[in-house]
Amino acid sequence: MINIILIGPPGSGKGTQAKQISEKYHLKHLSTGDILRNEVKNQTPLGIQAKAIMDRGELVSDEIVIGMIQNFIDNTSNTNGFLYDGFPRTVAQAEALNKMLMAKNMSVDAILFMSAPDEVFIERLQKRAEIEGRSDDADINVIRKRLAEYYEKTFPVKNYYEHHLTNIFYTINANQEVNKVFQDICSIIDPLVKA
Ligand code: B4P
């Protein structure tokens, strides 16, 4: 069972790559963003609470997100492993994930950090706003807030992994066309799957 983490700023292409990776390697795709958007769509109590937070470009509380992940892992069987997309986003979430995996005799196999200049992310999210109409992409101030949240709360997660799990930390050049990014990622995952 392999566990791969995909982290990076909003618009770095985590969701785009995660879809292709999980299909190719038959991994369970665990996107906290998708789970939260689904709760919003179904207007659950969690969704109603999360919508306001997401629309402001802020992060949903660690308590809520960690509970969601625990449920997902506990209720998933028959898989080659998990692909975490957009999780962990805070150091507290990273520490909680370590504990959850240890309890199941698992560990993280690779951390893929999606890197590109901020202007690239802003441009992509503005383009997506026109196509998909996601409320958190529509306003430039919300996009800037999401980037600010990223630098304040998620960038420390990158540093945490780079420092603690140096030998399995990989920086991906996300400023390339989608298939080229995917090829670079496959060159890291292929040996893990064959091992
Ligand atoms: P997410 O759903 O995780 O989304 P994202 O960071 O906005 O985007 P992603 O990086 O996945 O970009 P994508 O592939 O879609 O988060 C949304 C919100 O949910 C957060 O702001 C937060 O409020 C909440 N949340 C989620 N997880 C949380 C957690 N763990 N804790 C607390 N809160 C949490 O790509 C973006 C666009 O770029 C797309 O239009 C795509 O087509 C395009 N694109 C992708 N790759 C490209 C490439 N190589 N070249 C050109 N365009 C590309």
Side-chain angles (χ1 to χ4, degrees), residues 4 6 15 19 21 29 31 33 55 60 62 66 71 81 113 118 137 144 149 169 175 180 187 191-192:
I4 295 175
L6 202 49
K19 201 166 166 289
I21 300 166
H29 175 195
S31 160
D55 281 353
V60 174
D62 286 338
I66 291 166
N71 266 339
F113 169 63
D118 286 356
D137 289 337
R144 289 198 196 285
E149 285 274 279
F169 181 92
N175 191 15
K180 182 67 184 70
S187 70
L192 295 176

Side-chain angles (χ1 to χ4, degrees), residues 4-6 13-31 34 83-86 112 114 178 181-182 185 189:
I4 295 175
I5 292 175
L6 202 49
K14 301 181 295 287
T16 305
Q17 295 299 325
K19 201 166 166 289
Q20 299 196 49
I21 300 166
S22 53
E23 274 170 23
K24 175 166 176 181
Y25 298 101
H26 307 290
L27 301 176
K28 278 283 169 202
H29 175 195
L30 203 168
S31 160
D34 284 352
L83 176 67
Y84 305 89
D85 159 11
L112 310 177
M114 306 285 278
V178 174
V181 178
F182 185 55
I185 290 177
I189 302 181

Side-chain angles (χ1 to χ4, degrees), residues 9-16 32-34 36-37 54 58-60 65 85-87 89 93 124-125 128 134 136 146 174 176-178 181:
S12 55
K14 301 181 295 287
T16 305
T32 38
D34 284 352
L36 288 167
R37 277 187 289 280
M54 292 165 82
E58 293 169 8
L59 292 184
V60 174
V65 174
D85 159 11
F87 175 88
R89 259 179 160 94
Q93 291 180 16
R124 284 183 190 170
L125 295 177
R128 183 169 68 185
R134 240 174 75 173
D136 58 343
R146 284 159 67 193
Q176 310 179 83
E177 59 115 351
V178 174
V181 178

